Amino acid sequence: MKHLNIEQKRPRIAVFDFTGCEGCELQLANKEETLGAFLDAIEVINYREVSSEKGDNYDVALIDGAITRPDEIERLKAIREKAKVLVAMGSCACFGGVTKLKNAYNLDEANREVYGDCPKETIPTMAVGDVVTVDLKLPGCPVSKDEVERVVQHLVWDLPLPTYAYPVCLQCKQRYTVCRFDMGELCLGPITRAGCNAPCPAGGLGCWGCRGPAENPNYEEFFALAKEKGFSEQEVKDRLAFFGGFEDVL
Amino acid sequence: MTTSGKNTKKINLNVDVHHLTRVEGHGNIRVRVVDGKVTEARWDIVETPRFFEVMLKGKHYTAAGILTARICGICSIGHCLASVRASEAAFGVTIPEAAAKLRLLAKHGETMQSHFLHLFFLAAPDFLGLTSAIPLKDLNPEVFGIAARLKKLANDICDLVAGRTTHPVSLQVGGVAKMPDRHALLEIRDRLERSVPDLTATVELFKTLEIPEFVRETEFVALKGENDYPFIGGRLVSTDGVERDESEYLAMTNEYVDKNNTSKWAKLSRESLAVGALARLNNNYDFLNDQAKAVAVELGLAPVCHAPLMNNVAQLVECVHVVYDSIRLIDELVDSGNAETMAPVKPKAGRGVGAVEVPRGILYHDYEYGDDGRVVRANCVIPTTQNNANIHYDMHALAEQFACEGMTDERLELLCSMLVRAYDPCISCSVH
C-alpha cells in the first residue's frame, strides 16, 4: 500500500474466535464503504470466519468471545505468546458479556437441562483479561468497526487511539435523541462509556450498558435518578449485570 | 466435475480438517478411505456451549429478545423476531399491520446481508480457486465492488428498520419501536431499484461457477406458504408430506444428543432432515416472485432439488425475491403514513412459540412465562442444529461417490469443505 508513493507499514493482524456469537468478527467485514481501504491497510494473517489463510507470524491478535472451556485457556495463552499486541474485541472478550450470565446458575444442572445424561465440558465464563494480559480493550456488543479502524490508523499512521471518557448520554444529545428516561424507560446512558454513537436510544431502546462504565461514573446520582423515576433495585441490577461491564457496582 | 461412480482402483484417502474456515463457528471434518472403502466420514461440532436456555430463566420479557439476539452475530434479527413472536404468542398480543411489514422488511435486510456474505465471502472463493474473497479486491475489483455494494445495502436496510444490523434494538414485544423516516425509506427504495444491475451481474457470475454434482435424497422442512413466500410464522411442512402447526414444532425437530457433538442433531421421517434456502424453495417455489423464478430457471434450480450444493443458488434466488419484495413493502409502508407500530403488552402466565425462517433455515423459540412476565422455561431450536446430522450423512455419501481413481486428499478435502459451506452453517448458533 502506497500513499504519495511512499510504502506504508501494514500491521499483521490475526482474528481469533472463542465463545460468543462471532458478531464482532462479522463487523470487520461490514462498513463496506471503507472495507477496501481497511483491507489495504492491514495484512490478514488469520481470520477463520472469512479466510482459509493460516499463519503464526502476526503482530496484532484481535480476540472475539469469552473463555468457557479449558482448551480455550491453552489456545489463548499460545496466542498471547505470539502476539505483540492483544486486543479484547467486544463485550464478551472484555467483560465476559452475556455469556457470563450463565455463571449465576448451577452449571451441572444447566448441563443436565440442555444435554440430559450426555454433559458437555464447560467452566464458569471468564473475560480474556482473566486469563492473559490484555493490551487494549474495545468493548461493545457488537464492537464498533470504527474503533477497530482507529486502532489500525494508530498502528499505521500513529494517529491517537480512540478513547471516550464521557458517557453515552452525550452522544444522544449530539444526535437529538429524545431521552429514554423521559419516555418512561430505564437507560444506562448516564454511566456507560460512549463511542457507539448511541444507536439503541435512537432506535427506541434504553441503553443496556454493553460498553461498560464511562470514566468516573456518578453512580450515586444515577441510582437516585433510577429510584426517583420508579425503577426497582432489581430492575437496575438486572440491567447492570447484563453485559458484565458493571461488576464493580453490583 | 466428472465422477466415475465405482472404483476401478483401490484408493486410500485421508481428510482431517480442524476448525473448518469460512464458516461461522467451530466444526471438524474427518474422512478416511481405505482400499476404496469409506471407513469414516464425520462432521463434528466442537463449539463451546453457552446455555442460552438456562440463562433465559428468570429474565423479564423485555430482555428475552435482547439476550437471544446474541445467540448469533449473523442472524441476530431472526433470533430477535422469533423471540418477540414467542412472547407475543404467550401473552396473546397481536401486533399492528405496519409493524408486521416493518419486521418483514428487517427480515429481508438480514436475508440479503447473510446470503450475500455467504455467497461472495464464504462460498465463492472455493469456486474461484482462492483462499478468501480478500484478493478479489485487487484481482477483480468489479466483483469486489458488487459484493460490497449489495452487502452495504442489506446492512443499511437493517440499520434503518431494526436500529442496528447486528443485535437489533427496535424489534420489541408488541411491534417495532418506531416507523422509519419516510425519506430514508424512499432512499432505500431507490437504492434497491438501482441494485438490479449488481444482482444481474451476480447471477451472471454464478452461472459461470461449476457446482460439483452431488445428490442425496433428503427431507426438507420449512414454513408453509399460504399466500406468500413465508418468512415469519405459519404452518410447518416437509417435502415428505408432514404438516404441523407452528406450536407443534417439537414434532418436526425431534432433537437428540450425539456424544461427539456439542450441537444436538434432529430428524423427522428419515435419519436426518435439511432446512435453509433450498428447503424453503423446495416447499414454496410457487410463491417466489416472477423475477426470482426467472433466475431459478436461468440457474437450473427446480423443486424438489436434492443437491445440497444448490443451496448456494437457492440463496441467490431468494436474494432476488427479497429485493423486489422489499420495494413492494416500502411502497405499502410509505402509503400507510404514520401508522401505529406498537401494540400494548400485558404479560401473563402462558406458553408461546415463534417460528421464523432465518437465512440458514427455520428457527424456533419457545417460552413459558410466569405471571410476572419472567421466563420460567425456554427452548430454542436452531437451523444449523437441524442441518448438522444431514451434513454428517451427506459427508459419507459424498466420500463414497468421490472415492475413486484420480481423487486426492486435497481435492476430497475441498469437496467436503464445499459441501459443509453450502449449508452456510452457523455453528455457534447451533450450540448456543
Side-chain angles (χ1 to χ4, degrees), chain B residues 330-366:
Chain B
I330 291 175
D331 285 340
E332 290 180 18
L333 282 162
V334 168
D335 279 347
S336 69
N338 258 343
E340 187 57 62
T341 60
M342 281 296 268
V345 177
K346 228 176 143 188
K348 60 172 189 187
R351 181 182 169 187
V353 174
V356 172
E357 284 285 359
V358 298
R360 289 154 199 79
I362 192 162
L363 163 71
Y364 309 98
H365 281 221
D366 168 8

Side-chain angles (χ1 to χ4, degrees), chain A residues 10 16-24 26-27 29-33 35-37 39-41 44 47-54 66 68-69 71-72 75 92 98-107 109-122 125 141-142 180 185 196 199-206 208 210 232 234-235 238-239 242-243, chain B residues 17-27 46-60 62-63 66-67 69-74 113 117 121-122 125-126 130-134 137-138 144 147-149 151-153 155-156 162-172 177-178 257-264 374 377-378 421 428-429 431:
Chain A
R10 300 170 79 202
F16 296 104
D17 32 49
F18 288 82
T19 301
C21 73
E22 295 189 7
C24 290
L26 178 70
Q27 301 314 303
N30 280 350
K31 203 163 182 277
E32 294 80 2
E33 61 275 28
L35 183 59
L39 292 171
D40 275 340
V44 179
Y47 183 3
R48 196 197 48 79
E49 196 178 29
V50 164
S51 171
S52 300
E53 293 291 338
K54 286 177 185 172
T68 71
R69 210 168 53 191
D71 61 304
E72 291 192 318
R75 193 157 72 94
C92 290
V98 293
T99 308
K100 205 171 190 174
L101 289 170
K102 84 164 189 204
N103 292 3
Y105 302 84
N106 178 309
L107 294 189
E109 278 172 29
N111 229 317
R112 237 190 327 276
E113 182 171 337
V114 175
Y115 292 109
D117 52 7
C118 198
K120 306 295 179 187
E121 193 175 23
T122 191
T125 302
C141 187
R180 299 318 296 179
E185 288 173 40
C196 52
C200 301
L205 182 74
W208 282 64
C210 73
S232 70
Q234 184 65 42
E235 279 175 280
D238 281 355
R239 187 70 70 96
F242 202 76
F243 286 103
Chain B
V17 179
H18 178 70
H19 291 181
L20 177 67
T21 58
R22 280 187 283 118
V23 293
E24 195 281 347
H26 302 86
V46 294
E47 184 78 24
T48 48
R50 288 175 289 167
F51 301 97
F52 266 92
E53 281 106 341
V54 176
M55 295 194 288
L56 272 164
K57 281 183 173 183
K59 296 288 176 295
H60 194 249
T62 49
I66 299 171
L67 178 58
R70 270 76 187 174
I71 289 176
C72 181
I74 302 180
Q113 173 266 127
L117 174 79
F121 289 82
L122 311 186
D126 287 330
L130 300 170
T131 52
S132 80
I134 297 170
K137 175 170 60 70
D138 304 310
F144 190 84
R149 278 195 299 275
K151 202 159 91 61
K152 180 167 171 56
L153 171 59
N155 278 332
D156 288 350
R164 197 161 60 173
T165 300
T166 306
H167 304 328
V169 298
S170 307
L171 311 173
Q172 300 174 5
K178 64 180 180 80
V257 179
D258 177 80
K259 68 176 172 25
N260 293 312
N261 279 272
T262 49
S263 163
K264 292 178 187 173
R374 288 185 180 264
R377 188 199 53 80
R421 288 185 187 120
S428 43
C429 207
V431 177

Side-chain angles (χ1 to χ4, degrees), chain B residues 109-163:
Chain B
E110 178 176 84
T111 301
M112 284 169 67
Q113 173 266 127
S114 179
H115 283 359
F116 285 133
L117 174 79
H118 176 248
L119 290 170
F120 283 108
F121 289 82
L122 311 186
D126 287 330
F127 295 94
L128 303 170
L130 300 170
T131 52
S132 80
I134 297 170
L136 276 180
K137 175 170 60 70
D138 304 310
L139 293 172
N140 196 336
E142 200 186 325
V143 168
F144 190 84
I146 290 170
R149 278 195 299 275
L150 288 172
K151 202 159 91 61
K152 180 167 171 56
L153 171 59
N155 278 332
D156 288 350
I157 295 172
C158 299
D159 277 338
L160 179 67
V161 182

Side-chain angles (χ1 to χ4, degrees), chain A residues 30-249:
Chain A
N30 280 350
K31 203 163 182 277
E32 294 80 2
E33 61 275 28
T34 56
L35 183 59
F38 176 72
L39 292 171
D40 275 340
I42 62 173
E43 206 172 320
V44 179
I45 305 297
N46 269 300
Y47 183 3
R48 196 197 48 79
E49 196 178 29
V50 164
S51 171
S52 300
E53 293 291 338
K54 286 177 185 172
D56 284 334
N57 53 340
Y58 44 86
D59 299 321
V60 184
L62 302 177
I63 307 294
D64 179 8
I67 307 302
T68 71
R69 210 168 53 191
D71 61 304
E72 291 192 318
I73 296 177
E74 296 315 310
R75 193 157 72 94
L76 181 60
K77 283 181 175 166
I79 292 166
R80 176 67 270 190
E81 273 179 29
K82 294 188 188 102
K84 290 181 186 144
V85 178
L86 188 138
V87 183
M89 184 172 69
S91 303
C92 290
C94 289
F95 317 125
V98 293
T99 308
K100 205 171 190 174
L101 289 170
K102 84 164 189 204
N103 292 3
Y105 302 84
N106 178 309
L107 294 189
D108 289 335
E109 278 172 29
N111 229 317
R112 237 190 327 276
E113 182 171 337
V114 175
Y115 292 109
D117 52 7
C118 198
K120 306 295 179 187
E121 193 175 23
T122 191
I123 54 174
T125 302
M126 291 184 282
V128 169
D130 295 336
V131 180
V132 295
T133 306
V134 171
D135 300 303
L136 199 59
K137 285 183 182 176
L138 300 177
C141 187
V143 73
S144 143
K145 170 80 178 285
D146 191 56
E147 283 187 281
V148 178
E149 284 180 344
R150 288 177 61 183
V151 171
V152 170
Q153 288 164 356
H154 175 74
L155 292 165
V156 180
W157 299 292
D158 208 19
L159 291 174
L161 279 172
T163 49
Y164 295 92
Y166 53 87
V168 171
C169 256
L170 256 72
Q171 292 199 304
C172 270
K173 304 294 174 285
Q174 281 166 348
R175 56 187 292 182
Y176 303 102
T177 301
V178 176
C179 180
R180 299 318 296 179
F181 273 109
D182 288 347
M183 305 290 286
E185 288 173 40
L186 181 59
C187 179
L188 298 188
I191 52 172
T192 299
R193 187 179 293 274
C196 52
N197 201 25
C200 301
L205 182 74
C207 174
W208 282 64
C210 73
R211 296 171 59 85
E215 295 294 316
N216 302 314
N218 190 342
Y219 288 124
E220 215 175 296
E221 195 61 32
F222 176 73
F223 290 135
L225 172 72
K227 197 174 173 190
E228 179 199 312
K229 297 280 184 186
F231 299 105
S232 70
E233 209 171 304
Q234 184 65 42
E235 279 175 280
V236 177
K237 274 193 169 166
D238 281 355
R239 187 70 70 96
L240 288 168
F242 202 76
F243 286 103
F246 289 92
E247 273 193 332
D248 292 350
V249 283

Side-chain angles (χ1 to χ4, degrees), chain B residues 288-306:
Chain B
L288 286 169
N289 53 34
D290 292 344
Q291 295 91 339
K293 273 185 196 150
V295 169
V297 170
E298 221 177 317
L299 294 171
L301 175 57
V304 173
C305 169
H306 291 276

Side-chain angles (χ1 to χ4, degrees), chain B residues 241-303:
Chain B
V242 183
E243 213 186 305
R244 295 281 183 167
D245 187 68
E246 192 171 355
S247 62
E248 303 169 308
Y249 75 101
L250 287 171
M252 301 297 270
T253 55
N254 308 297
E255 281 188 315
Y256 61 102
V257 179
D258 177 80
K259 68 176 172 25
N260 293 312
N261 279 272
T262 49
S263 163
K264 292 178 187 173
W265 281 7
K267 61 183 175 183
L268 182 50
S269 315
R270 305 166 189 236
E271 61 184 352
S272 61
L273 62 93
V275 298
L278 189 59
R280 282 190 288 267
L281 188 141
N282 277 337
N283 279 297
N284 297 289
Y285 183 85
D286 291 343
F287 294 114
L288 286 169
N289 53 34
D290 292 344
Q291 295 91 339
K293 273 185 196 150
V295 169
V297 170
E298 221 177 317
L299 294 171
L301 175 57

